[in-house]
Every structure is written in structure tokens, then in C-alpha cells.
Amino acid sequence: MADNNDSLLREVEEELRREQMHKIWKRYNGLILGGAVLIVLAVAGYKMLEHHRITAAETGGAEFAAAENLSDQKKKDEADKAFKAIADNGPAGYAALAKLQLAGAQVKEGKTADAVATYDSLAKQTGADDLLKSFAQLQAASLRMADADYDEIQNRLTPLVAEGAPFQNSARELLGVAAYKAKKFDDARKYLEPLLVDPNVPGDTQERVKVIMSGIAGTEVAAKEPPAATPPAAAAEPAKPAEPPKTEAQPATDGTADKK
């Protein structure tokens, strides 16, 4: 009898669950179906984007390789045109590499302003690799060192001297040089002194830093020395009397010159 009761209870519970599910489905079937459709669309959209990304990357890679081939063949104008097209419309990674190629060619041609503009464009490019963007910032600042004032160089390079930045030491050296040129010796020491005690800094970099630090020390010592005393003017010597003018010998007037 107990088994029959348990069986009856189970049937009742199952019936109640079916009724509850029916009510839930009737009330919320639109939302459930809508959610399912959204999930399907999201998955399909992701697949399409991924396919597009892979296809674009493959196309960008082929175009970049073709541009490099033109460059290897010394077809400069065609190569530059191809790199420019990739830089403007290619996938972010290949666009960044194309800009590096263009900037390097512009530097070789002496087109410094164009190279700086290309590096600046890469440094601000959305989606480009952070390492390449930092490298572009460093190169642009280096090209501007000859003409820019200290404030511009400082604005360009300050983000690169953060602890752990990939080009921290190179940025420090350039900032130190810029500060030295601007006679801001305290700033120069702030950037350069850490390079002298860092065992990871290359020896040639430390030698350059030592030369600049010696220049700073020499300039400061010279500025503290009193000016050399001007020696008193020598007493004027008395003027010597003028010598009488020399005259040619006069002929004798006693008539002896006429005697034979």
C-alpha cells in the first residue's frame, strides 16, 4: 500500500512540474526564444568577425610581403606606394610595420619632418602594438632633438621613462642631453645619473653619459670662479726726442774743389 501511495505522489509531483513548465513557457516563451536567437546571432557574429580578421590578416601579410619584395628589387616608388596603402588601410599590425618602413625610408632621404609625422602617426595608432608605439615615440623625439626646445622633448619622452618601460634608458639619455643643451643641469643629472649606476646599461651609453656629466661639472666650476683680474696698464714711456733729419753732404765753398 505504501508503494502505491509513493507512486501516486510521484505522478502528482510530475504533473505539477509539467503544469508549472507549461505556465512558464506560455508566459516567457518570447523571451526564451529571443534569448536563444541572440545567442545564435552572437556566436555567428563572432565567427564572422574572426573569419574576417583572419582573412584580413592573411591579405595584409601577402600585401606586406609583396611590398617588401618591391623594396628588395630597388623599386622604391612602387614599394613606397604599396607600404603607404597598407599603412592607410591594412590591418593594425601590418599598418604599423608599414609605417616603420616608410619612416625609415624618409629618414634615409633626409625628409626628417615627414619621418617625424609618420612616427607620430604610428605612436597614436589604435590597435598597434605598444612596443612599436613606444619605439615610434622614441624615434620621433630623437629626430627632433636638433630643433626642438626642451619642453617639447620632455613632453615626447616623459611617458617613456616610467619604471619598466621598454626604452626607458634610451629615453633617459635623450632627456639628459636635451636638459644639458638647455642648461638645466639639475634635470640633466636627474635623468643621467641613474644610467651610471645601472649594471644593465651598456658601456658605450655610460661613456657618453660620463662625457656629458663632465661637461656639466666643468661648466658649473667655470661659473663659480671669479673673473681674472685685468693687469694695470703699463706706464707710458716718455717720448724720445726726434732725431735731426739726415742731410746729404754739402759741396765745399772755399774753391778747393775747382783746383786740379
Side-chain angles (χ1 to χ4, degrees):
M1 187 70 178
D3 291 341
N4 292 334
N5 289 337
D6 291 342
S7 177
L8 180 61
L9 287 173
R10 283 197 295 271
E11 289 179 4
V12 171
E13 289 175 354
E14 289 177 1
E15 185 64 27
L16 289 174
R17 280 199 294 269
R18 280 195 295 270
E19 289 182 4
Q20 288 174 343
M21 290 300 297
H22 178 71
K23 290 179 181 178
I24 291 172
W25 175 254
K26 187 175 180 180
R27 179 176 296 182
Y28 299 111
N29 66 82
L31 293 176
I32 294 171
L33 289 175
V37 170
L38 288 177
I39 293 172
V40 171
L41 289 176
V43 172
Y46 173 78
K47 291 293 185 181
M48 289 179 63
L49 289 174
E50 187 69 7
H51 174 72
H52 177 74
R53 184 188 67 79
I54 294 172
T55 302
E58 291 174 348
T59 303
E63 291 174 348
F64 190 85
E68 283 188 313
N69 188 43
L70 291 171
S71 180
D72 292 341
Q73 296 175 16
K74 310 299 181 185
K75 298 179 179 179
K76 182 185 176 308
D77 292 340
E78 295 178 45
D80 287 350
K81 184 178 179 180
F83 282 127
K84 182 70 168 58
I86 298 170
D88 291 341
N89 302 309
Y94 286 109
L97 294 176
K99 288 177 181 178
L100 288 180
Q101 289 278 357
L102 288 171
Q106 289 162 344
V107 170
K108 289 181 180 178
E109 295 169 13
K111 299 178 179 178
T112 303
D114 291 342
V116 170
T118 303
Y119 280 129
D120 283 343
S121 174
L122 171 53
K124 298 173 184 176
Q125 179 182 318
T126 303
D129 183 83
D130 288 339
L131 184 65
L132 294 182
K133 293 170 73 169
S134 295
F135 178 78
Q137 285 179 274
L138 184 72
Q139 293 302 309
S142 177
L143 291 173
R144 290 288 297 148
M145 284 288 289
D147 303 317
D149 59 20
Y150 176 61
D151 288 340
E152 178 183 337
I153 298 300
Q154 194 174 35
N155 289 335
R156 286 180 174 275
L157 291 178
T158 296
L160 301 185
V161 297
E163 196 65 34
F167 302 105
Q168 178 188 36
N169 291 337
S170 297
R172 281 185 174 277
E173 183 180 2
L174 288 178
L175 274 168
V177 172
Y180 173 66
K181 287 174 58 181
K183 301 188 184 303
K184 297 180 179 293
F185 299 143
D186 289 340
D187 282 0
R189 273 191 288 264
K190 177 182 72 175
Y191 293 121
L192 296 176
E193 285 178 348
L195 300 178
L196 293 176
V197 298
D198 187 345
N200 297 317
V201 174
D204 56 347
T205 300
Q206 291 185 332
E207 289 301 318
R208 291 194 299 269
V209 170
K210 288 177 182 178
V211 171
I212 299 172
M213 297 295 285
S214 297
I216 293 173
T219 302
E220 290 180 334
V221 168
K224 292 178 181 178
E225 290 180 350
T230 305
E237 297 182 0
K240 296 181 180 179
E243 296 181 359
K246 296 180 181 180
T247 57
E248 296 181 357
Q250 300 294 322
T253 56
D254 57 357
T256 55
D258 295 329
K259 293 182 180 179
K260 305 258 181 164

